[in-house]
Amino acid sequence: MSTTIETLLTLSLPEPKTETVTIPRLVMPDGKPLTLELRQLTFNQVADLRAHNRDFAVHTVLAGVKAPNLRDQSLREHFDAETPAELVKKLLSAGEIEELSARISTLSGYHRKTVELVEDVQKN
C-alpha cells in the first residue's frame, strides 16, 4: 500500500494553462480583431504583483499576456508610452484591462472552485 507522499512523488506537474482571446475593438489591418495569448501566473507572481503595484489589474495583464510582448520597445514608441504599464492603459480600455486581469486570475486558479471538502464524518 502506498502512502500519499509516495503517490505525490510519482506525479508530474501539469503544464501552465493558456488561453487565446480577442479584443474586438482593436481591428488589425487584415480585418481580424487583436488576438492575445494569456498564461497562468504562479502564486509568487501574483503575490509580487499585489505587493508592489498600485495598478494590480494593469500589471496582471502585463505579466499574463504571453503574446504579443506588451513590453516591446518599438510598440511603446509607436504608441508614445514611456512604460509598459502606460502602453497597456493606452492600448486597452479600462473594462478590457479588468476583464483580461480576471481571465488571467481564473487561469491562475482564482474565481473558481479549486478544492473540494471531503466528508469524513460518519453519521450514526
Side-chain angles (χ1 to χ4, degrees), residues 85-124:
E86 187 178 329
L87 172 65
V88 168
K89 292 175 188 178
K90 284 185 172 194
L91 190 62
L92 301 169
S93 70
E96 290 163 343
I97 292 168
E98 288 296 328
E99 187 172 345
L100 288 169
S101 177
R103 285 186 171 273
I104 293 163
S105 292
T106 299
L107 282 174
S108 304
Y110 295 92
H111 313 296
R112 61 185 167 97
K113 190 174 182 177
T114 58
V115 297
E116 294 178 8
L117 176 64
V118 176
E119 292 288 330
D120 62 347
V121 177
Q122 294 182 0
K123 296 181 181 180
N124 296 333

Side-chain angles (χ1 to χ4, degrees), residues 30-121:
D30 64 2
K32 295 179 182 176
L34 172 67
T35 300
L36 302 175
E37 185 178 352
L38 309 181
R39 67 175 168 204
Q40 171 183 346
L41 301 177
T42 66
F43 176 84
N44 287 342
Q45 287 172 309
V46 173
D48 187 56
L49 291 171
R50 287 183 197 272
H52 297 104
N53 297 293
R54 190 181 85 219
D55 293 332
F56 176 71
V58 170
H59 288 277
T60 298
V61 170
L62 276 172
V65 172
K66 184 175 180 179
N69 178 5
L70 297 178
R71 297 179 186 278
D72 182 82
Q73 180 68 31
S74 61
L75 195 56
R76 288 192 353 241
E77 288 172 2
H78 176 76
F79 287 101
D80 194 31
E82 288 187 29
T83 66
E86 187 178 329
L87 172 65
V88 168
K89 292 175 188 178
K90 284 185 172 194
L91 190 62
L92 301 169
S93 70
E96 290 163 343
I97 292 168
E98 288 296 328
E99 187 172 345
L100 288 169
S101 177
R103 285 186 171 273
I104 293 163
S105 292
T106 299
L107 282 174
S108 304
Y110 295 92
H111 313 296
R112 61 185 167 97
K113 190 174 182 177
T114 58
V115 297
E116 294 178 8
L117 176 64
V118 176
E119 292 288 330
D120 62 347
V121 177

